[in-house]
Amino acid sequence: MKQTSPLEGMTVLVPRGKKQAHSFSALIQSYGGIPVEIPLIAFETLQDKETLYKTHKRIQTYDWVIFTSATAVDAFFENLSQGGPFPNIAVIGEKTKKLLMDKGLKVQFMPRDYVAEGFVEDFLPLVEEGMKVLIPKGNLARDYIAASLSENGADVDEIIVYETTFPRESIGLLKKQLSGKGLDILAFTSPSTVDHFIGALKELGYENAVKDSVVGCIGPVTRERAKAYGLQVHAVPEEYTVHNMLKSIISYLAEIRREN
C-alpha cells in the first residue's frame, strides 16, 4: 500500500515574496503539498538615508547592536562597506545570525526563543547601567525590546531602516486562488501577514472563503494577531521557525485523521 505524504494534494499559502518563498515552497512540496505563493508583505528600504549614514559613522559608540530579522540586516548594511571594529551583536533567529556571519561579523548573543520576550529574558543579565544599544528595525516592529532594556538602565536608540508594505498585485492572486482551488492551509509568518491577508479578504468580500482552512502561525505574537481577527489557530510550533510551523501543522492534521 502506497504511503500518503502528509500534505498530499493540499494547497498551502506561502505569504512571502519570491526571494524568501523558494525554500518554504520547496519544503511544502517535500511533504506532498502544493505551495501557493501570494506575497503578503514587501520590504522597502527608506529613501531618506541621512539618519542611517550618521548612525554608520558613530557605530563604534555603541556597546551592542540588536538585529531582530534578516531584513533589518539587509537594510542596515545596504551601501555600507563594513570596515574596522563593530560593536557586540545580538540577534533573533538562525537566519539573521547566518546573514551577519556571511558578512564576516561575529554574533555574540542569540536567545533560546526567537521572540522579543525570550530575547529580553535571556539578554537582561548582560545589561549594565548606561550601556549604549542600537536597534535597527522596521516601521511596524514592536518596541518591546527597547522599552524593556531602557527600563533596566540601558541607553537605547531605535532606527527605522525599512518599511513593511502590502504588494497590491497580490489582491488579484488571492482572488484567483480563492475563486478556484482555494487554500487548505494558511501559514502565517508574522503579524503583518495576518493583517494584510485579512485586509485583502475584506476588500474582496471573501471572508468566508477560508472558514474551513487549517491555520498555522509561526509564533505566539502572530497567533494572537490571528485570534484577534476571529481566526481559529490550529498549530503553533514550540520553536519559532517556518520548518517547525509546517511540522506542527502536519502533526495537527495527523491527529485529526486519527480521530476520524
Short mmCIF file of all heavy atoms in Angstrom, two decimals, residues 128-177:
data_model
loop_
_atom_site.label_atom_id
_atom_site.label_comp_id
_atom_site.label_asym_id
_atom_site.label_seq_id
_atom_site.Cartn_x
_atom_site.Cartn_y
_atom_site.Cartn_z
N GLU A 128 23.95 46.58 31.47
CA GLU A 128 24.59 47.39 32.50
C GLU A 128 24.07 48.82 32.42
O GLU A 128 23.66 49.27 31.35
CB GLU A 128 26.12 47.38 32.32
CG GLU A 128 26.74 45.99 32.45
CD GLU A 128 28.23 46.01 32.18
OE1 GLU A 128 28.77 47.09 31.83
OE2 GLU A 128 28.86 44.95 32.31
N GLU A 129 24.09 49.52 33.54
CA GLU A 129 23.62 50.91 33.59
C GLU A 129 24.39 51.76 32.58
O GLU A 129 25.62 51.76 32.57
CB GLU A 129 23.80 51.47 35.00
CG GLU A 129 23.19 52.84 35.21
CD GLU A 129 21.67 52.78 35.26
OE1 GLU A 129 21.11 51.76 35.71
OE2 GLU A 129 21.04 53.79 34.85
N GLY A 130 23.64 52.46 31.71
CA GLY A 130 24.27 53.35 30.75
C GLY A 130 24.80 52.67 29.50
O GLY A 130 25.36 53.35 28.62
N MET A 131 24.63 51.37 29.39
CA MET A 131 25.10 50.64 28.20
C MET A 131 24.37 51.15 26.96
O MET A 131 23.15 51.28 26.96
CB MET A 131 24.82 49.14 28.40
CG MET A 131 25.33 48.24 27.30
SD MET A 131 25.11 46.48 27.75
CE MET A 131 23.37 46.26 27.33
N LYS A 132 25.12 51.46 25.90
CA LYS A 132 24.51 52.02 24.68
C LYS A 132 24.14 50.90 23.71
O LYS A 132 24.98 50.07 23.35
CB LYS A 132 25.45 53.02 24.01
CG LYS A 132 25.54 54.34 24.77
CD LYS A 132 26.35 55.37 24.01
CE LYS A 132 25.70 55.79 22.71
NZ LYS A 132 24.38 56.46 22.90
N VAL A 133 22.86 50.90 23.29
CA VAL A 133 22.33 49.85 22.43
C VAL A 133 21.65 50.46 21.22
O VAL A 133 20.90 51.43 21.35
CB VAL A 133 21.31 48.97 23.20
CG1 VAL A 133 20.72 47.90 22.29
CG2 VAL A 133 21.97 48.32 24.42
N LEU A 134 21.91 49.88 20.06
CA LEU A 134 21.26 50.32 18.82
C LEU A 134 20.39 49.19 18.30
O LEU A 134 20.82 48.03 18.24
CB LEU A 134 22.31 50.68 17.76
CG LEU A 134 21.77 51.01 16.36
CD1 LEU A 134 20.97 52.31 16.39
CD2 LEU A 134 22.90 51.09 15.35
N ILE A 135 19.14 49.53 17.90
CA ILE A 135 18.23 48.53 17.32
C ILE A 135 17.73 49.03 15.96
O ILE A 135 16.81 49.85 15.89
CB ILE A 135 17.03 48.25 18.25
CG1 ILE A 135 17.50 47.85 19.65
CG2 ILE A 135 16.15 47.14 17.65
CD1 ILE A 135 16.36 47.60 20.63
N PRO A 136 18.32 48.55 14.86
CA PRO A 136 17.75 48.84 13.53
C PRO A 136 16.50 47.98 13.34
O PRO A 136 16.51 46.79 13.63
CB PRO A 136 18.88 48.41 12.57
CG PRO A 136 20.09 48.20 13.42
CD PRO A 136 19.57 47.80 14.76
N LYS A 137 15.41 48.58 12.85
CA LYS A 137 14.15 47.85 12.81
C LYS A 137 13.26 48.34 11.67
O LYS A 137 13.55 49.33 11.01
CB LYS A 137 13.42 48.02 14.15
CG LYS A 137 13.15 49.48 14.51
CD LYS A 137 12.55 49.64 15.89
CE LYS A 137 11.06 49.39 15.89
NZ LYS A 137 10.41 49.76 17.15
N GLY A 138 12.16 47.62 11.47
CA GLY A 138 11.15 48.03 10.51
C GLY A 138 10.13 48.95 11.15
O GLY A 138 10.02 49.04 12.37
N ASN A 139 9.35 49.63 10.33
CA ASN A 139 8.40 50.62 10.84
C ASN A 139 7.26 50.00 11.65
O ASN A 139 6.63 50.68 12.46
CB ASN A 139 7.81 51.43 9.68
CG ASN A 139 7.00 50.58 8.72
OD1 ASN A 139 7.44 49.50 8.31
ND2 ASN A 139 5.84 51.05 8.32
N LEU A 140 7.00 48.70 11.46
CA LEU A 140 5.92 48.06 12.19
C LEU A 140 6.40 47.21 13.36
O LEU A 140 5.59 46.60 14.07
CB LEU A 140 5.09 47.18 11.23
CG LEU A 140 4.40 47.90 10.07
CD1 LEU A 140 3.58 46.92 9.25
CD2 LEU A 140 3.53 49.04 10.57
N ALA A 141 7.71 47.15 13.56
CA ALA A 141 8.25 46.30 14.64
C ALA A 141 7.86 46.86 16.00
O ALA A 141 7.77 48.07 16.20
CB ALA A 141 9.76 46.21 14.51
N ARG A 142 7.64 45.95 16.94
CA ARG A 142 7.29 46.36 18.30
C ARG A 142 8.49 47.03 18.99
O ARG A 142 9.63 46.83 18.60
CB ARG A 142 6.87 45.14 19.12
CG ARG A 142 5.61 44.47 18.63
CD ARG A 142 5.13 43.42 19.63
NE ARG A 142 6.10 42.34 19.78
CZ ARG A 142 6.18 41.54 20.85
NH1 ARG A 142 5.38 41.75 21.88
NH2 ARG A 142 7.05 40.57 20.90
N ASP A 143 8.20 47.82 20.04
CA ASP A 143 9.27 48.47 20.80
C ASP A 143 9.53 47.76 22.12
O ASP A 143 10.15 48.30 23.03
CB ASP A 143 8.94 49.94 21.05
CG ASP A 143 7.70 50.12 21.93
OD1 ASP A 143 7.04 49.12 22.27
OD2 ASP A 143 7.40 51.29 22.28
N TYR A 144 9.10 46.50 22.21
CA TYR A 144 9.19 45.76 23.48
C TYR A 144 10.64 45.64 23.95
O TYR A 144 10.92 45.85 25.14
CB TYR A 144 8.58 44.37 23.32
CG TYR A 144 8.63 43.53 24.59
CD1 TYR A 144 7.65 43.68 25.56
CD2 TYR A 144 9.66 42.64 24.80
CE1 TYR A 144 7.70 42.93 26.74
CE2 TYR A 144 9.72 41.89 25.97
CZ TYR A 144 8.74 42.04 26.94
OH TYR A 144 8.80 41.30 28.10
N ILE A 145 11.54 45.29 23.05
CA ILE A 145 12.94 45.12 23.46
C ILE A 145 13.52 46.43 23.94
O ILE A 145 14.14 46.51 25.01
CB ILE A 145 13.78 44.53 22.31
CG1 ILE A 145 13.34 43.10 22.00
CG2 ILE A 145 15.27 44.55 22.67
CD1 ILE A 145 14.04 42.47 20.82
N ALA A 146 13.33 47.48 23.15
CA ALA A 146 13.88 48.80 23.52
C ALA A 146 13.32 49.27 24.86
O ALA A 146 14.08 49.74 25.73
CB ALA A 146 13.56 49.81 22.43
N ALA A 147 12.02 49.14 25.05
CA ALA A 147 11.39 49.59 26.30
C ALA A 147 11.91 48.80 27.49
O ALA A 147 12.21 49.36 28.56
CB ALA A 147 9.88 49.47 26.19
N SER A 148 12.02 47.48 27.32
CA SER A 148 12.47 46.62 28.42
C SER A 148 13.92 46.91 28.81
O SER A 148 14.25 46.98 30.01
CB SER A 148 12.32 45.14 28.03
OG SER A 148 10.97 44.83 27.76
N LEU A 149 14.78 47.08 27.82
CA LEU A 149 16.19 47.36 28.12
C LEU A 149 16.36 48.74 28.74
O LEU A 149 17.18 48.93 29.64
CB LEU A 149 17.04 47.24 26.85
CG LEU A 149 17.04 45.87 26.15
CD1 LEU A 149 18.09 45.84 25.04
CD2 LEU A 149 17.28 44.74 27.13
N SER A 150 15.57 49.72 28.26
CA SER A 150 15.62 51.07 28.83
C SER A 150 15.21 51.06 30.29
O SER A 150 15.82 51.73 31.14
CB SER A 150 14.72 52.01 28.03
OG SER A 150 15.19 52.16 26.71
N GLU A 151 14.18 50.29 30.60
CA GLU A 151 13.70 50.19 31.99
C GLU A 151 14.76 49.60 32.91
O GLU A 151 14.74 49.82 34.12
CB GLU A 151 12.44 49.32 32.04
CG GLU A 151 11.21 49.98 31.46
CD GLU A 151 10.04 49.02 31.37
OE1 GLU A 151 10.18 47.86 31.82
OE2 GLU A 151 8.98 49.42 30.83
N ASN A 152 15.70 48.87 32.33
CA ASN A 152 16.75 48.23 33.13
C ASN A 152 18.10 48.94 33.00
O ASN A 152 19.15 48.36 33.30
CB ASN A 152 16.88 46.76 32.73
CG ASN A 152 15.75 45.90 33.27
OD1 ASN A 152 15.82 45.39 34.39
ND2 ASN A 152 14.69 45.75 32.48
N GLY A 153 18.05 50.21 32.57
CA GLY A 153 19.25 51.05 32.63
C GLY A 153 20.02 51.25 31.35
O GLY A 153 20.98 52.03 31.32
N ALA A 154 19.63 50.59 30.27
CA ALA A 154 20.36 50.75 29.02
C ALA A 154 19.94 52.04 28.32
O ALA A 154 18.82 52.52 28.49
CB ALA A 154 20.11 49.56 28.10
N ASP A 155 20.85 52.60 27.54
CA ASP A 155 20.58 53.78 26.72
C ASP A 155 20.33 53.27 25.30
O ASP A 155 21.28 52.91 24.58
CB ASP A 155 21.79 54.72 26.77
CG ASP A 155 21.58 55.98 25.96
OD1 ASP A 155 20.46 56.18 25.43
OD2 ASP A 155 22.54 56.75 25.83
N VAL A 156 19.07 53.22 24.88
CA VAL A 156 18.69 52.54 23.64
C VAL A 156 18.28 53.53 22.55
O VAL A 156 17.45 54.41 22.78
CB VAL A 156 17.53 51.55 23.88
CG1 VAL A 156 17.20 50.79 22.60
CG2 VAL A 156 17.90 50.56 24.99
N ASP A 157 18.85 53.35 21.37
CA ASP A 157 18.42 54.09 20.18
C ASP A 157 17.79 53.10 19.20
O ASP A 157 18.37 52.04 18.92
CB ASP A 157 19.62 54.75 19.48
CG ASP A 157 20.19 55.92 20.25
OD1 ASP A 157 19.45 56.51 21.07
OD2 ASP A 157 21.38 56.23 20.06
N GLU A 158 16.61 53.45 18.70
CA GLU A 158 15.99 52.66 17.64
C GLU A 158 16.06 53.47 16.35
O GLU A 158 15.85 54.68 16.37
CB GLU A 158 14.52 52.36 17.96
CG GLU A 158 14.33 51.41 19.12
CD GLU A 158 12.86 51.05 19.30
OE1 GLU A 158 12.09 51.95 19.65
OE2 GLU A 158 12.50 49.88 19.09
N ILE A 159 16.32 52.80 15.24
CA ILE A 159 16.37 53.47 13.95
C ILE A 159 15.56 52.66 12.94
O ILE A 159 15.72 51.43 12.83
CB ILE A 159 17.83 53.64 13.45
CG1 ILE A 159 17.85 54.25 12.05
CG2 ILE A 159 18.61 52.35 13.50
CD1 ILE A 159 19.24 54.56 11.54
N ILE A 160 14.63 53.33 12.27
CA ILE A 160 13.81 52.67 11.26
C ILE A 160 14.64 52.57 9.97
O ILE A 160 15.06 53.59 9.42
CB ILE A 160 12.51 53.46 10.98
CG1 ILE A 160 11.72 53.66 12.27
CG2 ILE A 160 11.68 52.74 9.92
CD1 ILE A 160 11.26 52.38 12.92
N VAL A 161 14.88 51.33 9.51
CA VAL A 161 15.71 51.14 8.31
C VAL A 161 14.93 50.57 7.13
O VAL A 161 15.44 50.51 6.01
CB VAL A 161 16.93 50.24 8.62
CG1 VAL A 161 17.89 50.95 9.57
CG2 VAL A 161 16.50 48.89 9.20
N TYR A 162 13.69 50.12 7.38
CA TYR A 162 12.86 49.66 6.26
C TYR A 162 11.39 49.77 6.62
O TYR A 162 11.03 49.89 7.80
CB TYR A 162 13.19 48.20 5.87
CG TYR A 162 12.78 47.16 6.90
CD1 TYR A 162 11.52 46.56 6.85
CD2 TYR A 162 13.65 46.77 7.91
CE1 TYR A 162 11.16 45.60 7.80
CE2 TYR A 162 13.29 45.83 8.85
CZ TYR A 162 12.04 45.24 8.78
OH TYR A 162 11.67 44.30 9.72
N GLU A 163 10.55 49.76 5.58
CA GLU A 163 9.10 49.82 5.77
C GLU A 163 8.47 48.54 5.24
O GLU A 163 8.89 47.99 4.21
CB GLU A 163 8.51 51.03 5.03
CG GLU A 163 8.91 52.35 5.64
CD GLU A 163 8.23 53.53 4.95
OE1 GLU A 163 7.68 53.32 3.85
OE2 GLU A 163 8.24 54.64 5.51
N THR A 164 7.46 48.07 5.96
CA THR A 164 6.71 46.89 5.54
C THR A 164 5.46 47.34 4.80
O THR A 164 4.67 48.13 5.33
CB THR A 164 6.31 46.03 6.77
OG1 THR A 164 7.49 45.67 7.49
CG2 THR A 164 5.59 44.78 6.33
N THR A 165 5.28 46.85 3.59
CA THR A 165 4.13 47.25 2.78
C THR A 165 3.38 46.02 2.27
O THR A 165 3.86 44.89 2.40
CB THR A 165 4.58 48.10 1.57
OG1 THR A 165 5.45 47.30 0.74
CG2 THR A 165 5.31 49.35 2.03
N PHE A 166 2.20 46.25 1.71
CA PHE A 166 1.41 45.17 1.11
C PHE A 166 1.49 45.26 -0.41
O PHE A 166 1.15 46.30 -0.98
CB PHE A 166 -0.05 45.27 1.56
CG PHE A 166 -0.96 44.28 0.87
CD1 PHE A 166 -0.74 42.92 0.99
CD2 PHE A 166 -2.01 44.71 0.08
CE1 PHE A 166 -1.57 42.01 0.35
CE2 PHE A 166 -2.84 43.81 -0.56
CZ PHE A 166 -2.62 42.45 -0.43
N PRO A 167 1.94 44.20 -1.07
CA PRO A 167 2.01 44.22 -2.54
C PRO A 167 0.60 44.16 -3.14
O PRO A 167 -0.07 43.13 -3.06
CB PRO A 167 2.81 42.94 -2.87
CG PRO A 167 3.33 42.42 -1.57
CD PRO A 167 2.41 42.93 -0.52
N ARG A 168 0.17 45.24 -3.76
CA ARG A 168 -1.21 45.31 -4.26
C ARG A 168 -1.53 44.25 -5.32
O ARG A 168 -2.67 43.82 -5.46
CB ARG A 168 -1.47 46.69 -4.85
CG ARG A 168 -1.50 47.80 -3.82
CD ARG A 168 -2.63 47.67 -2.84
NE ARG A 168 -3.93 47.56 -3.49
CZ ARG A 168 -5.06 47.27 -2.86
NH1 ARG A 168 -5.04 47.02 -1.56
NH2 ARG A 168 -6.19 47.20 -3.52
N GLU A 169 -0.52 43.79 -6.05
CA GLU A 169 -0.76 42.77 -7.07
C GLU A 169 -1.24 41.45 -6.46
O GLU A 169 -1.81 40.60 -7.16
CB GLU A 169 0.49 42.53 -7.91
CG GLU A 169 1.70 42.00 -7.16
CD GLU A 169 2.59 43.09 -6.58
OE1 GLU A 169 2.12 44.24 -6.46
OE2 GLU A 169 3.75 42.79 -6.26
N SER A 170 -1.03 41.29 -5.16
CA SER A 170 -1.43 40.05 -4.51
C SER A 170 -2.95 39.93 -4.35
O SER A 170 -3.47 38.84 -4.13
CB SER A 170 -0.76 39.92 -3.13
OG SER A 170 0.64 39.72 -3.30
N ILE A 171 -3.65 41.06 -4.44
CA ILE A 171 -5.11 41.02 -4.40
C ILE A 171 -5.65 40.14 -5.52
O ILE A 171 -6.50 39.26 -5.31
CB ILE A 171 -5.71 42.44 -4.52
CG1 ILE A 171 -5.47 43.23 -3.23
CG2 ILE A 171 -7.20 42.38 -4.84
CD1 ILE A 171 -6.41 42.91 -2.11
N GLY A 172 -5.13 40.34 -6.72
CA GLY A 172 -5.56 39.53 -7.86
C GLY A 172 -5.18 38.08 -7.71
O GLY A 172 -5.97 37.18 -8.06
N LEU A 173 -3.99 37.81 -7.19
CA LEU A 173 -3.54 36.43 -6.98
C LEU A 173 -4.44 35.72 -5.98
O LEU A 173 -4.81 34.55 -6.17
CB LEU A 173 -2.09 36.42 -6.47
CG LEU A 173 -1.01 36.94 -7.42
CD1 LEU A 173 0.34 36.99 -6.72
CD2 LEU A 173 -0.93 36.07 -8.67
N LEU A 174 -4.79 36.43 -4.92
CA LEU A 174 -5.63 35.83 -3.89
C LEU A 174 -7.04 35.56 -4.42
O LEU A 174 -7.63 34.50 -4.16
CB LEU A 174 -5.69 36.77 -2.67
CG LEU A 174 -6.36 36.22 -1.41
CD1 LEU A 174 -5.66 34.96 -0.93
CD2 LEU A 174 -6.35 37.28 -0.31
N LYS A 175 -7.57 36.51 -5.17
CA LYS A 175 -8.91 36.33 -5.75
C LYS A 175 -8.95 35.11 -6.66
O LYS A 175 -9.88 34.29 -6.60
CB LYS A 175 -9.32 37.58 -6.51
CG LYS A 175 -10.73 37.48 -7.12
CD LYS A 175 -11.11 38.79 -7.81
CE LYS A 175 -12.53 38.69 -8.38
NZ LYS A 175 -12.92 39.96 -9.05
N LYS A 176 -7.94 34.97 -7.50
CA LYS A 176 -7.88 33.83 -8.43
C LYS A 176 -7.81 32.51 -7.68
O LYS A 176 -8.51 31.55 -8.02
CB LYS A 176 -6.66 33.98 -9.34
CG LYS A 176 -6.52 32.86 -10.36
CD LYS A 176 -5.30 33.09 -11.24
CE LYS A 176 -5.13 31.95 -12.23
NZ LYS A 176 -3.92 32.15 -13.08
N GLN A 177 -7.00 32.46 -6.62
CA GLN A 177 -6.84 31.22 -5.86
C GLN A 177 -8.11 30.85 -5.10
O GLN A 177 -8.55 29.70 -5.11
CB GLN A 177 -5.67 31.34 -4.88
CG GLN A 177 -5.35 30.06 -4.12
CD GLN A 177 -4.87 28.94 -5.01
OE1 GLN A 177 -4.22 29.18 -6.02
NE2 GLN A 177 -5.19 27.71 -4.64
#
